[in-house]
Amino acid sequence: DYIALNNANSGDDASTILLITGDGTHGSQTFNDLSANNHTVTAVNEVNHIRSLRLANKSSILFDEVDDYLSIPNHTDFDIGTGDFTLEAWIYTDDIEGAGYRILSQGDLETNDGDWCWGIGTGWGGGFKMNFAIKDGALPVKDYTSTAIDPVDLAPFTWHHVALVRTSGVLKYFWNGINFYSVAAAHSMTSATDSTLAVGARRFGGGSPYYIEEYN
């Protein structure tokens, strides 16, 4: 239902630097950043608003699992560095245990130091997990993968809230409000000027993006 990228606090407040909600008419491909920063959001391919599935707003954002994503140009607002931040989203799917979601990313994980990706799914082995990956000069791509989420909590056809929070250099992974995993990770999230943000996709190795529901 919404994707939010915040410096420190959850929700739409003075710390929110990007907020995209399902607030459009059915079938519309117009998306807005509702934060005070008003970043430009571009729909790529068929991603659109859908009225039949919604949580709190007028619509939800539908990705076709093939080539859809939202693109946001890089900006100094996204230079989080080693500071605190919150990433969060609401997701709904018919097959959550088989999902391979690329929720939010910046840049290309093999191109620029500070480029990163946040996702959930079965692509990291041993069950359904949350992952945060970042490119670092000393460690070209570093993955921080959580423990597996209890299958009992993975109901399909249900809205689930996911969040990744960094506080004082510690990543905290949340599933439906429960902090189920934590790990130290103080890498700098400051990307190159051409490192665009993508909702629902991520790049790796200069090729076409990997999308929601892809396991690569």
Side-chain angles (χ1 to χ4, degrees):
D1 189 70
Y2 72 84
I3 303 290
L5 171 62
N6 307 345
N7 296 25
N9 302 308
S10 175
D12 185 12
D13 56 26
S15 295
T16 303
I17 56 178
L18 178 68
L19 178 62
I20 304 172
T21 71
D23 64 343
T25 57
H26 184 81
S28 169
Q29 290 193 286
T30 298
F31 295 90
N32 301 302
D33 171 18
L34 301 184
S35 77
N37 303 293
N38 193 29
H39 293 289
T40 300
V41 182
T42 301
V44 180
N45 297 314
E46 291 81 34
V47 59
N48 63 82
H49 293 277
I50 180 172
R51 289 294 301 272
S52 58
L53 290 174
R54 59 186 186 270
L55 186 62
N57 301 301
K58 292 189 296 185
S59 65
S60 297
I61 302 171
L62 179 66
F63 300 85
D64 70 0
E65 307 173 7
V66 177
D67 57 4
D68 288 359
Y69 65 100
L70 299 176
S71 179
I72 301 97
N74 195 7
H75 191 278
T76 54
D77 287 344
F78 308 135
D79 290 342
I80 296 169
T82 58
D84 296 350
F85 67 84
T86 297
L87 312 177
E88 60 178 318
W90 284 95
I91 62 169
Y92 181 103
T93 179
D94 61 354
D95 183 21
I96 198 155
E97 290 189 74
Y101 288 104
R102 315 300 178 186
I103 302 174
L104 188 64
S105 67
Q106 183 170 19
D108 185 323
L109 284 178
E110 278 196 344
T111 301
N112 303 309
D113 285 351
D115 286 354
W116 52 271
C117 177
W118 173 47
I120 57 174
T122 56
W124 297 280
F128 190 89
K129 300 179 178 181
M130 187 180 296
N131 181 74
F132 176 74
I134 189 165
K135 186 183 185 308
D136 186 291
L139 301 167
V141 178
K142 176 64 176 175
D143 284 288
Y144 292 94
T145 304
S146 74
T147 54
I149 298 169
D150 191 331
V152 173
D153 297 324
L154 302 179
F157 304 104
T158 302
W159 284 105
H160 296 280
H161 184 264
V162 293
L164 177 68
V165 178
R166 184 165 70 184
T167 303
S168 300
V170 176
L171 291 174
K172 298 180 179 181
Y173 296 66
F174 290 85
W175 182 264
N176 290 328
I178 303 299
N179 177 199
F180 69 97
Y181 183 75
S182 298
V183 61
H187 301 276
S188 178
M189 296 169 65
T190 302
S191 300
T193 56
D194 61 347
S195 294
T196 59
L197 268 73
V199 180
R202 62 105 168 161
R203 292 188 179 276
F204 187 87
S208 297
Y210 295 145
Y211 303 100
I212 282 179
E213 292 279 35
E214 288 191 346
Y215 298 93
N216 309 67

